């Protein structure tokens, strides 16, 4: 049975320590991201630092990976709480070399983030 198109994957959003934090949850695939893609791209273009809290994500496929790589071009993208399955996807594709991963949202905030790429 297909999921409803209105399935929201973007949850709570808030400003914190010079960053905009977005909680992402559920399954992230072409269908579930369709309604959220534009919102995330617009948010990325409007903020200097975007932290995605991925700790509540249960699945992600290549469509989410593509979205991350596009969003990265518009802002300083930081991924927090990356679950094992997504970390593995990033590792297998080499995206872990270009995306910034942090254990927690607090670690990903600009004030506590180490300098560098």
């Amino acid at each position: 049975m297909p999921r409803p198109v209105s399935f929201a994957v973007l949850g709570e959003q808030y400003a914190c320590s010079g960053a905009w934090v977005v909680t992402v949850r559920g399954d992230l695939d072409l269908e579930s991201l369709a309604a959220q893609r534009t919102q995330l791209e617009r948010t990325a273009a409007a903020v200097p630092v975007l932290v995605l809290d991925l700790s509540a994500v249960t699945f992600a496929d290549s469509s989410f990976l593509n979205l991350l790589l596009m969003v990265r071009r518009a802002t300083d993208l930081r991924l927090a709480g990356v679950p094992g399955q997504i970390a593995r996807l990033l590792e297998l594709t080499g995206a872990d070399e270009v995306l910034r991963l942090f254990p927690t949202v607090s670690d990903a905030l600009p004030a506590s983030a180490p300098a560098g790429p």
Side-chain angles (χ1 to χ4, degrees), residues 56-89:
V57 172
T58 53
F59 171 80
D61 69 5
S62 62
S63 59
F64 181 61
L65 176 59
N66 284 333
L67 179 58
L68 291 177
L69 295 173
M70 289 183 66
V71 166
R72 177 184 164 269
R73 290 187 231 157
T75 191
D76 178 359
L77 177 64
R78 300 167 185 214
L79 306 178
V82 180
Q85 183 266 336
I86 297 173
R88 183 75 174 135
L89 173 67

Side-chain angles (χ1 to χ4, degrees), residues 6-15 20-26 28 32-33 36 39-40 43 50-54 56-57:
S6 63
F7 180 74
V9 296
L10 301 182
E12 182 182 13
Q13 300 185 36
Y14 56 94
W20 189 254
V21 179
V22 177
T23 306
V24 184
R25 62 178 179 258
L28 307 175
S32 66
L33 288 169
Q36 311 293 312
Q39 179 184 354
L40 192 56
T43 299
L50 176 60
V51 176
L52 295 183
D53 178 359
L54 304 179
V57 172

Side-chain angles (χ1 to χ4, degrees), residues 14-21 47-52 75-78 100 102 104-116:
Y14 56 94
C16 186
S17 298
W20 189 254
V21 179
V47 298
V49 178
L50 176 60
V51 176
L52 295 183
T75 191
D76 178 359
L77 177 64
R78 300 167 185 214
R100 299 178 71 187
F102 298 85
T104 67
V105 169
S106 295
D107 293 324
L109 297 174
S112 63

